[in-house]
Amino acid sequence: MLKSKILKDLEENRGRPISGQALAEKNNVSRNAVWKAVNALKEDGHEIISGRNKGYYLSESSDKVSAEGIRSYLGDRLSDVEIMVYDELDSTNNEAKRNINTYGAQTTLLVAETQTGGRGRMGKSFFSPPGAGIYMSVYYRSPHGVRNPMMVTMAAAVAVVRTIEKFTDIKPGIKWVNDIFIGDKKCCGILTEAVTDLETGLSSDIIVGIGLNVRPVDLPPELSDIVTSLGITDVTRNQLIAELLTNLNELCRHERETFMEEYIAHSNVNGKHIKYEADGKACLGTVVTVRKNGALEVKRDSGETDMVTTGEILFREKNKNIK
Ligand code: BTN
């Protein structure tokens, strides 16, 4: 499709004008066809600057998410990953689940500009306003099956931390198991869902959903005390998505054994008094550490030690929930 080819050319030359003639010749179409395609791209929300004798170029600040834009940052990497970008979805995880049997590639990336029913863990919703954040799911078909999808979740947390540290001076913390915090506010949540064979215990299909708040926005009152964003404006979301995908791929394929040290170094839960679930009941205790197998070691107020591997933890302060 001409629109997609022109967008690719513009993304690869961000900020540098290309003449209508050059675009027409490269794509073997008329200048009028180029002009129409550029107008259609502008209508889609891409900030394309054009003018007499200037040619066309994508403004440095244009921040519309697109497969062409993500690919321009990937270069030759991950060409086998299928990339699908949507203006609006209920949830990228839901869309991946609905289409699991139709994806040809072993890895598929789904991104939405906005989600109308973004989901978090434990049945919570995930606020997903347009233009402000990254709402993406990576679907993996695993030929041999994965024994412990929790490790994929933890790899995703490290992928997010690496991405934030590459582009900002922020020192993010990981709240077990997979929330990313800046100070005492959450900027990113991860929802991993898997299709698991109950006999073998192996997961053949894994969907890693990542919601990262990038730009500052007006938050609903119930979120304003507990949620934040990276607050940056100088990096495009396409660039952040390309980096997240690259890091996640690297961590899941090549660094399975080593990333837990990085996870543990960023953990913000050690020494915290928490509410959690053990033996099917609510308990209070203090976090000792995150173990290399991903389990949370907690010293119960009543003295026993628990190894927590599922569920959610709530920070407690003077016997009241604060998060
Ligand atoms: C959490 O905070 O508990 C997890 C939030 C996960 C949000 C992401 S956004 C992309 C993907 N689609 C969803 O519906 N959820 C995840």
Side-chain angles (χ1 to χ4, degrees), residues 90-94 115 117-122 124-126 128 134-137 178-179 186 188-191 208-212 312:
D90 55 344
S91 144
T92 52
N93 272 35
N94 289 357
Q115 298 183 122
R119 294 188 292 114
R121 295 174 73 234
M122 308 287 162
K124 291 184 192 151
S125 59
F126 189 83
S128 316
I134 289 171
Y135 319 113
M136 64 183 255
S137 297
N178 55 4
D179 287 337
K186 174 168 159 174
C188 174
I190 298 165
L191 175 68
V208 185
I210 301 176
L212 173 62
E312 198 182 22

PDB file of all heavy atoms in Angstrom, residues 90-94 115 117-122 124-126 128 134-137 178-179 186 188-191 208-212 312, ligand 1:
ATOM      1  N   ASP A  90     -10.276  -2.747  22.498  1.00  0.00           N
ATOM      2  CA  ASP A  90     -10.702  -2.889  23.894  1.00  0.00           C
ATOM      3  C   ASP A  90      -9.456  -3.133  24.741  1.00  0.00           C
ATOM      4  O   ASP A  90      -9.192  -2.442  25.724  1.00  0.00           O
ATOM      5  CB  ASP A  90     -11.757  -4.001  24.052  1.00  0.00           C
ATOM      6  CG  ASP A  90     -11.301  -5.350  23.490  1.00  0.00           C
ATOM      7  OD1 ASP A  90     -10.310  -5.391  22.718  1.00  0.00           O
ATOM      8  OD2 ASP A  90     -11.915  -6.373  23.830  1.00  0.00           O
ATOM      9  N   SER A  91      -8.647  -4.098  24.302  1.00  0.00           N
ATOM     10  CA  SER A  91      -7.422  -4.427  25.029  1.00  0.00           C
ATOM     11  C   SER A  91      -6.512  -5.185  24.065  1.00  0.00           C
ATOM     12  O   SER A  91      -6.983  -6.077  23.335  1.00  0.00           O
ATOM     13  CB  SER A  91      -7.799  -5.309  26.230  1.00  0.00           C
ATOM     14  OG  SER A  91      -6.821  -6.282  26.490  1.00  0.00           O
ATOM     15  N   THR A  92      -5.236  -4.845  24.037  1.00  0.00           N
ATOM     16  CA  THR A  92      -4.317  -5.545  23.121  1.00  0.00           C
ATOM     17  C   THR A  92      -4.189  -7.023  23.528  1.00  0.00           C
ATOM     18  O   THR A  92      -4.029  -7.889  22.673  1.00  0.00           O
ATOM     19  CB  THR A  92      -2.928  -4.870  23.098  1.00  0.00           C
ATOM     20  OG1 THR A  92      -2.453  -4.727  24.432  1.00  0.00           O
ATOM     21  CG2 THR A  92      -2.981  -3.511  22.430  1.00  0.00           C
ATOM     22  N   ASN A  93      -4.276  -7.308  24.843  1.00  0.00           N
ATOM     23  CA  ASN A  93      -4.234  -8.718  25.266  1.00  0.00           C
ATOM     24  C   ASN A  93      -5.456  -9.468  24.731  1.00  0.00           C
ATOM     25  O   ASN A  93      -5.350 -10.597  24.252  1.00  0.00           O
ATOM     26  CB  ASN A  93      -4.213  -8.824  26.798  1.00  0.00           C
ATOM     27  CG  ASN A  93      -2.801  -8.781  27.357  1.00  0.00           C
ATOM     28  OD1 ASN A  93      -1.951  -8.086  26.831  1.00  0.00           O
ATOM     29  ND2 ASN A  93      -2.548  -9.523  28.435  1.00  0.00           N
ATOM     30  N   ASN A  94      -6.643  -8.822  24.817  1.00  0.00           N
ATOM     31  CA  ASN A  94      -7.860  -9.474  24.310  1.00  0.00           C
ATOM     32  C   ASN A  94      -7.740  -9.742  22.814  1.00  0.00           C
ATOM     33  O   ASN A  94      -8.100 -10.825  22.338  1.00  0.00           O
ATOM     34  CB  ASN A  94      -9.086  -8.584  24.524  1.00  0.00           C
ATOM     35  CG  ASN A  94      -9.489  -8.482  25.970  1.00  0.00           C
ATOM     36  OD1 ASN A  94      -8.874  -9.126  26.830  1.00  0.00           O
ATOM     37  ND2 ASN A  94     -10.488  -7.681  26.267  1.00  0.00           N
ATOM     38  N   GLN A 115      -6.911   2.190  24.537  1.00  0.00           N
ATOM     39  CA  GLN A 115      -7.700   0.998  24.855  1.00  0.00           C
ATOM     40  C   GLN A 115      -8.972   1.437  25.587  1.00  0.00           C
ATOM     41  O   GLN A 115      -8.915   2.269  26.492  1.00  0.00           O
ATOM     42  CB  GLN A 115      -6.919   0.055  25.768  1.00  0.00           C
ATOM     43  CG  GLN A 115      -5.635  -0.496  25.175  1.00  0.00           C
ATOM     44  CD  GLN A 115      -4.957  -1.483  26.096  1.00  0.00           C
ATOM     45  OE1 GLN A 115      -4.730  -2.617  25.753  1.00  0.00           O
ATOM     46  NE2 GLN A 115      -4.613  -1.053  27.303  1.00  0.00           N
ATOM     47  N   GLY A 117     -10.922  -0.871  27.083  1.00  0.00           N
ATOM     48  CA  GLY A 117     -11.121  -1.800  28.204  1.00  0.00           C
ATOM     49  C   GLY A 117      -9.788  -2.383  28.644  1.00  0.00           C
ATOM     50  O   GLY A 117      -9.669  -3.600  28.842  1.00  0.00           O
ATOM     51  N   GLY A 118      -8.789  -1.514  28.802  1.00  0.00           N
ATOM     52  CA  GLY A 118      -7.454  -1.982  29.215  1.00  0.00           C
ATOM     53  C   GLY A 118      -7.560  -2.726  30.544  1.00  0.00           C
ATOM     54  O   GLY A 118      -8.231  -2.274  31.468  1.00  0.00           O
ATOM     55  N   ARG A 119      -6.902  -3.884  30.614  1.00  0.00           N
ATOM     56  CA  ARG A 119      -7.021  -4.719  31.823  1.00  0.00           C
ATOM     57  C   ARG A 119      -5.711  -4.787  32.584  1.00  0.00           C
ATOM     58  O   ARG A 119      -4.635  -4.856  32.004  1.00  0.00           O
ATOM     59  CB  ARG A 119      -7.432  -6.142  31.441  1.00  0.00           C
ATOM     60  CG  ARG A 119      -8.814  -6.236  30.846  1.00  0.00           C
ATOM     61  CD  ARG A 119      -9.257  -7.668  30.661  1.00  0.00           C
ATOM     62  NE  ARG A 119      -8.502  -8.368  29.637  1.00  0.00           N
ATOM     63  CZ  ARG A 119      -7.683  -9.386  29.869  1.00  0.00           C
ATOM     64  NH1 ARG A 119      -7.456  -9.822  31.094  1.00  0.00           N
ATOM     65  NH2 ARG A 119      -7.068  -9.985  28.868  1.00  0.00           N
ATOM     66  N   GLY A 120      -5.820  -4.779  33.919  1.00  0.00           N
ATOM     67  CA  GLY A 120      -4.673  -4.995  34.778  1.00  0.00           C
ATOM     68  C   GLY A 120      -4.804  -6.343  35.465  1.00  0.00           C
ATOM     69  O   GLY A 120      -5.724  -7.114  35.168  1.00  0.00           O
ATOM     70  N   ARG A 121      -3.905  -6.635  36.386  1.00  0.00           N
ATOM     71  CA  ARG A 121      -3.988  -7.895  37.123  1.00  0.00           C
ATOM     72  C   ARG A 121      -5.133  -7.818  38.123  1.00  0.00           C
ATOM     73  O   ARG A 121      -5.614  -6.747  38.454  1.00  0.00           O
ATOM     74  CB  ARG A 121      -2.667  -8.175  37.842  1.00  0.00           C
ATOM     75  CG  ARG A 121      -1.524  -8.407  36.864  1.00  0.00           C
ATOM     76  CD  ARG A 121      -0.212  -8.537  37.579  1.00  0.00           C
ATOM     77  NE  ARG A 121      -0.080  -9.806  38.273  1.00  0.00           N
ATOM     78  CZ  ARG A 121       0.210  -9.921  39.563  1.00  0.00           C
ATOM     79  NH1 ARG A 121       0.375  -8.855  40.307  1.00  0.00           N
ATOM     80  NH2 ARG A 121       0.330 -11.109  40.113  1.00  0.00           N
ATOM     81  N   MET A 122      -5.540  -8.982  38.603  1.00  0.00           N
ATOM     82  CA  MET A 122      -6.556  -9.085  39.650  1.00  0.00           C
ATOM     83  C   MET A 122      -7.868  -8.375  39.254  1.00  0.00           C
ATOM     84  O   MET A 122      -8.513  -7.743  40.091  1.00  0.00           O
ATOM     85  CB  MET A 122      -6.055  -8.491  40.976  1.00  0.00           C
ATOM     86  CG  MET A 122      -4.728  -9.033  41.433  1.00  0.00           C
ATOM     87  SD  MET A 122      -4.953 -10.719  42.034  1.00  0.00           S
ATOM     88  CE  MET A 122      -3.304 -11.325  42.009  1.00  0.00           C
ATOM     89  N   LYS A 124      -8.411  -5.693  37.713  1.00  0.00           N
ATOM     90  CA  LYS A 124      -8.431  -4.223  37.714  1.00  0.00           C
ATOM     91  C   LYS A 124      -8.398  -3.710  36.275  1.00  0.00           C
ATOM     92  O   LYS A 124      -8.039  -4.435  35.353  1.00  0.00           O
ATOM     93  CB  LYS A 124      -7.207  -3.681  38.454  1.00  0.00           C
ATOM     94  CG  LYS A 124      -7.263  -3.941  39.944  1.00  0.00           C
ATOM     95  CD  LYS A 124      -6.071  -3.303  40.613  1.00  0.00           C
ATOM     96  CE  LYS A 124      -5.944  -3.787  42.044  1.00  0.00           C
ATOM     97  NZ  LYS A 124      -4.572  -3.801  42.517  1.00  0.00           N
ATOM     98  N   SER A 125      -8.773  -2.423  36.100  1.00  0.00           N
ATOM     99  CA  SER A 125      -8.694  -1.852  34.757  1.00  0.00           C
ATOM    100  C   SER A 125      -7.375  -1.086  34.618  1.00  0.00           C
ATOM    101  O   SER A 125      -6.727  -0.772  35.622  1.00  0.00           O
ATOM    102  CB  SER A 125      -9.881  -0.925  34.494  1.00  0.00           C
ATOM    103  OG  SER A 125      -9.875   0.103  35.454  1.00  0.00           O
ATOM    104  N   PHE A 126      -6.976  -0.823  33.377  1.00  0.00           N
ATOM    105  CA  PHE A 126      -5.745  -0.055  33.150  1.00  0.00           C
ATOM    106  C   PHE A 126      -6.102   1.159  32.303  1.00  0.00           C
ATOM    107  O   PHE A 126      -6.544   1.035  31.156  1.00  0.00           O
ATOM    108  CB  PHE A 126      -4.684  -0.913  32.451  1.00  0.00           C
ATOM    109  CG  PHE A 126      -3.339  -0.238  32.397  1.00  0.00           C
ATOM    110  CD1 PHE A 126      -2.478  -0.288  33.483  1.00  0.00           C
ATOM    111  CD2 PHE A 126      -2.953   0.495  31.275  1.00  0.00           C
ATOM    112  CE1 PHE A 126      -1.243   0.367  33.449  1.00  0.00           C
ATOM    113  CE2 PHE A 126      -1.727   1.146  31.235  1.00  0.00           C
ATOM    114  CZ  PHE A 126      -0.870   1.081  32.326  1.00  0.00           C
ATOM    115  N   SER A 128      -6.012   3.919  29.819  1.00  0.00           N
ATOM    116  CA  SER A 128      -5.237   3.910  28.558  1.00  0.00           C
ATOM    117  C   SER A 128      -5.658   5.044  27.630  1.00  0.00           C
ATOM    118  O   SER A 128      -6.195   4.805  26.548  1.00  0.00           O
ATOM    119  CB  SER A 128      -5.448   2.577  27.824  1.00  0.00           C
ATOM    120  OG  SER A 128      -5.373   1.476  28.692  1.00  0.00           O
ATOM    121  N   ILE A 134       2.036   3.756  26.219  1.00  0.00           N
ATOM    122  CA  ILE A 134       2.270   2.617  25.332  1.00  0.00           C
ATOM    123  C   ILE A 134       1.395   1.484  25.836  1.00  0.00           C
ATOM    124  O   ILE A 134       1.465   1.119  27.016  1.00  0.00           O
ATOM    125  CB  ILE A 134       3.758   2.223  25.365  1.00  0.00           C
ATOM    126  CG1 ILE A 134       4.588   3.293  24.658  1.00  0.00           C
ATOM    127  CG2 ILE A 134       3.974   0.850  24.732  1.00  0.00           C
ATOM    128  CD1 ILE A 134       6.080   3.112  24.809  1.00  0.00           C
ATOM    129  N   TYR A 135       0.560   0.981  24.963  1.00  0.00           N
ATOM    130  CA  TYR A 135      -0.313  -0.145  25.305  1.00  0.00           C
ATOM    131  C   TYR A 135       0.014  -1.237  24.298  1.00  0.00           C
ATOM    132  O   TYR A 135      -0.368  -1.141  23.129  1.00  0.00           O
ATOM    133  CB  TYR A 135      -1.790   0.269  25.245  1.00  0.00           C
ATOM    134  CG  TYR A 135      -2.007   1.651  25.829  1.00  0.00           C
ATOM    135  CD1 TYR A 135      -2.408   2.719  25.030  1.00  0.00           C
ATOM    136  CD2 TYR A 135      -1.733   1.898  27.178  1.00  0.00           C
ATOM    137  CE1 TYR A 135      -2.544   3.998  25.551  1.00  0.00           C
ATOM    138  CE2 TYR A 135      -1.855   3.171  27.707  1.00  0.00           C
ATOM    139  CZ  TYR A 135      -2.261   4.215  26.885  1.00  0.00           C
ATOM    140  OH  TYR A 135      -2.364   5.486  27.400  1.00  0.00           O
ATOM    141  N   MET A 136       0.772  -2.220  24.729  1.00  0.00           N
ATOM    142  CA  MET A 136       1.247  -3.228  23.766  1.00  0.00           C
ATOM    143  C   MET A 136       1.185  -4.637  24.352  1.00  0.00           C
ATOM    144  O   MET A 136       1.264  -4.821  25.570  1.00  0.00           O
ATOM    145  CB  MET A 136       2.681  -2.908  23.330  1.00  0.00           C
ATOM    146  CG  MET A 136       3.719  -2.960  24.440  1.00  0.00           C
ATOM    147  SD  MET A 136       5.374  -2.491  23.820  1.00  0.00           S
ATOM    148  CE  MET A 136       6.155  -4.112  23.741  1.00  0.00           C
ATOM    149  N   SER A 137       1.014  -5.602  23.461  1.00  0.00           N
ATOM    150  CA  SER A 137       1.090  -7.004  23.864  1.00  0.00           C
ATOM    151  C   SER A 137       2.050  -7.716  22.925  1.00  0.00           C
ATOM    152  O   SER A 137       2.027  -7.480  21.714  1.00  0.00           O
ATOM    153  CB  SER A 137      -0.278  -7.691  23.760  1.00  0.00           C
ATOM    154  OG  SER A 137      -1.194  -7.086  24.633  1.00  0.00           O
ATOM    155  N   ASN A 178       5.408  -7.390  39.137  1.00  0.00           N
ATOM    156  CA  ASN A 178       5.689  -6.772  37.840  1.00  0.00           C
ATOM    157  C   ASN A 178       5.137  -5.360  37.676  1.00  0.00           C
ATOM    158  O   ASN A 178       4.749  -4.982  36.581  1.00  0.00           O
ATOM    159  CB  ASN A 178       5.156  -7.659  36.712  1.00  0.00           C
ATOM    160  CG  ASN A 178       3.690  -7.954  36.910  1.00  0.00           C
ATOM    161  OD1 ASN A 178       3.092  -7.434  37.838  1.00  0.00           O
ATOM    162  ND2 ASN A 178       3.115  -8.759  36.067  1.00  0.00           N
ATOM    163  N   ASP A 179       5.096  -4.587  38.738  1.00  0.00           N
ATOM    164  CA  ASP A 179       4.741  -3.170  38.590  1.00  0.00           C
ATOM    165  C   ASP A 179       6.027  -2.352  38.610  1.00  0.00           C
ATOM    166  O   ASP A 179       6.915  -2.612  39.417  1.00  0.00           O
ATOM    167  CB  ASP A 179       3.855  -2.702  39.750  1.00  0.00           C
ATOM    168  CG  ASP A 179       2.450  -3.255  39.646  1.00  0.00           C
ATOM    169  OD1 ASP A 179       2.033  -3.604  38.523  1.00  0.00           O
ATOM    170  OD2 ASP A 179       1.772  -3.335  40.690  1.00  0.00           O
ATOM    171  N   LYS A 186       3.160   4.348  40.545  1.00  0.00           N
ATOM    172  CA  LYS A 186       3.330   3.351  39.476  1.00  0.00           C
ATOM    173  C   LYS A 186       3.301   4.024  38.103  1.00  0.00           C
ATOM    174  O   LYS A 186       2.432   4.854  37.836  1.00  0.00           O
ATOM    175  CB  LYS A 186       2.178   2.344  39.612  1.00  0.00           C
ATOM    176  CG  LYS A 186       2.069   1.309  38.529  1.00  0.00           C
ATOM    177  CD  LYS A 186       1.089   0.231  38.969  1.00  0.00           C
ATOM    178  CE  LYS A 186       0.534  -0.540  37.802  1.00  0.00           C
ATOM    179  NZ  LYS A 186      -0.295  -1.674  38.215  1.00  0.00           N
ATOM    180  N   CYS A 188       4.042   1.822  35.242  1.00  0.00           N
ATOM    181  CA  CYS A 188       3.903   0.741  34.260  1.00  0.00           C
ATOM    182  C   CYS A 188       3.375  -0.523  34.930  1.00  0.00           C
ATOM    183  O   CYS A 188       3.774  -0.840  36.060  1.00  0.00           O
ATOM    184  CB  CYS A 188       5.275   0.462  33.639  1.00  0.00           C
ATOM    185  SG  CYS A 188       5.315  -0.966  32.539  1.00  0.00           S
ATOM    186  N   GLY A 189       2.471  -1.199  34.233  1.00  0.00           N
ATOM    187  CA  GLY A 189       1.974  -2.484  34.713  1.00  0.00           C
ATOM    188  C   GLY A 189       2.142  -3.531  33.627  1.00  0.00           C
ATOM    189  O   GLY A 189       2.170  -3.204  32.433  1.00  0.00           O
ATOM    190  N   ILE A 190       2.274  -4.772  34.043  1.00  0.00           N
ATOM    191  CA  ILE A 190       2.480  -5.868  33.087  1.00  0.00           C
ATOM    192  C   ILE A 190       1.469  -6.976  33.391  1.00  0.00           C
ATOM    193  O   ILE A 190       1.318  -7.367  34.552  1.00  0.00           O
ATOM    194  CB  ILE A 190       3.922  -6.415  33.201  1.00  0.00           C
ATOM    195  CG1 ILE A 190       4.926  -5.306  32.858  1.00  0.00           C
ATOM    196  CG2 ILE A 190       4.136  -7.613  32.282  1.00  0.00           C
ATOM    197  CD1 ILE A 190       6.351  -5.603  33.264  1.00  0.00           C
ATOM    198  N   LEU A 191       0.790  -7.421  32.371  1.00  0.00           N
ATOM    199  CA  LEU A 191      -0.200  -8.488  32.533  1.00  0.00           C
ATOM    200  C   LEU A 191       0.172  -9.632  31.600  1.00  0.00           C
ATOM    201  O   LEU A 191       0.068  -9.495  30.382  1.00  0.00           O
ATOM    202  CB  LEU A 191      -1.598  -7.952  32.183  1.00  0.00           C
ATOM    203  CG  LEU A 191      -2.741  -8.954  32.181  1.00  0.00           C
ATOM    204  CD1 LEU A 191      -3.024  -9.451  33.597  1.00  0.00           C
ATOM    205  CD2 LEU A 191      -4.004  -8.329  31.595  1.00  0.00           C
ATOM    206  N   VAL A 208       2.318 -11.227  26.675  1.00  0.00           N
ATOM    207  CA  VAL A 208       2.865 -10.293  27.664  1.00  0.00           C
ATOM    208  C   VAL A 208       2.312  -8.909  27.335  1.00  0.00           C
ATOM    209  O   VAL A 208       2.665  -8.321  26.312  1.00  0.00           O
ATOM    210  CB  VAL A 208       4.409 -10.241  27.598  1.00  0.00           C
ATOM    211  CG1 VAL A 208       4.949  -9.353  28.718  1.00  0.00           C
ATOM    212  CG2 VAL A 208       5.005 -11.628  27.695  1.00  0.00           C
ATOM    213  N   GLY A 209       1.419  -8.408  28.182  1.00  0.00           N
ATOM    214  CA  GLY A 209       0.829  -7.077  27.964  1.00  0.00           C
ATOM    215  C   GLY A 209       1.558  -6.044  28.809  1.00  0.00           C
ATOM    216  O   GLY A 209       1.733  -6.225  30.012  1.00  0.00           O
ATOM    217  N   ILE A 210       2.009  -4.978  28.156  1.00  0.00           N
ATOM    218  CA  ILE A 210       2.742  -3.926  28.868  1.00  0.00           C
ATOM    219  C   ILE A 210       2.011  -2.597  28.692  1.00  0.00           C
ATOM    220  O   ILE A 210       1.702  -2.201  27.566  1.00  0.00           O
ATOM    221  CB  ILE A 210       4.187  -3.780  28.318  1.00  0.00           C
ATOM    222  CG1 ILE A 210       4.949  -5.107  28.468  1.00  0.00           C
ATOM    223  CG2 ILE A 210       4.932  -2.646  29.032  1.00  0.00           C
ATOM    224  CD1 ILE A 210       6.359  -5.102  27.866  1.00  0.00           C
ATOM    225  N   GLY A 211       1.726  -1.937  29.800  1.00  0.00           N
ATOM    226  CA  GLY A 211       1.125  -0.599  29.761  1.00  0.00           C
ATOM    227  C   GLY A 211       2.094   0.358  30.431  1.00  0.00           C
ATOM    228  O   GLY A 211       2.347   0.254  31.632  1.00  0.00           O
ATOM    229  N   LEU A 212       2.671   1.279  29.641  1.00  0.00           N
ATOM    230  CA  LEU A 212       3.679   2.212  30.176  1.00  0.00           C
ATOM    231  C   LEU A 212       3.182   3.641  29.966  1.00  0.00           C
ATOM    232  O   LEU A 212       2.936   4.062  28.824  1.00  0.00           O
ATOM    233  CB  LEU A 212       5.014   1.991  29.441  1.00  0.00           C
ATOM    234  CG  LEU A 212       6.156   2.964  29.730  1.00  0.00           C
ATOM    235  CD1 LEU A 212       6.577   2.917  31.196  1.00  0.00           C
ATOM    236  CD2 LEU A 212       7.375   2.632  28.852  1.00  0.00           C
ATOM    237  N   GLU A 312      -1.009 -10.905  44.745  1.00  0.00           N
ATOM    238  CA  GLU A 312      -0.572  -9.512  44.758  1.00  0.00           C
ATOM    239  C   GLU A 312      -0.183  -9.137  46.167  1.00  0.00           C
ATOM    240  O   GLU A 312      -0.747  -9.676  47.132  1.00  0.00           O
ATOM    241  CB  GLU A 312      -1.727  -8.619  44.286  1.00  0.00           C
ATOM    242  CG  GLU A 312      -1.251  -7.271  43.862  1.00  0.00           C
ATOM    243  CD  GLU A 312      -2.400  -6.360  43.435  1.00  0.00           C
ATOM    244  OE1 GLU A 312      -3.545  -6.597  43.845  1.00  0.00           O
ATOM    245  OE2 GLU A 312      -2.125  -5.404  42.711  1.00  0.00           O
TER     246      GLU A 312
HETATM  247  C1  BTN B   1      -1.426  -4.097  35.923  1.00  0.00           C
HETATM  248  O1  BTN B   1      -1.156  -2.921  36.191  1.00  0.00           O
HETATM  249  O2  BTN B   1      -1.930  -4.857  36.771  1.00  0.00           O
HETATM  250  C2  BTN B   1      -1.154  -4.622  34.551  1.00  0.00           C
HETATM  251  C3  BTN B   1      -1.504  -3.625  33.493  1.00  0.00           C
HETATM  252  C4  BTN B   1      -1.269  -4.139  32.093  1.00  0.00           C
HETATM  253  C5  BTN B   1      -1.741  -3.166  31.056  1.00  0.00           C
HETATM  254  C6  BTN B   1      -1.404  -3.596  29.680  1.00  0.00           C
HETATM  255  S1  BTN B   1      -1.761  -2.353  28.488  1.00  0.00           S
HETATM  256  C7  BTN B   1      -1.535  -3.478  27.198  1.00  0.00           C
HETATM  257  C8  BTN B   1      -2.150  -4.788  27.641  1.00  0.00           C
HETATM  258  N1  BTN B   1      -3.559  -4.815  27.354  1.00  0.00           N
HETATM  259  C9  BTN B   1      -4.303  -4.851  28.461  1.00  0.00           C
HETATM  260  O3  BTN B   1      -5.538  -4.862  28.493  1.00  0.00           O
HETATM  261  N2  BTN B   1      -3.504  -4.881  29.531  1.00  0.00           N
HETATM  262  C10 BTN B   1      -2.107  -4.845  29.176  1.00  0.00           C
END
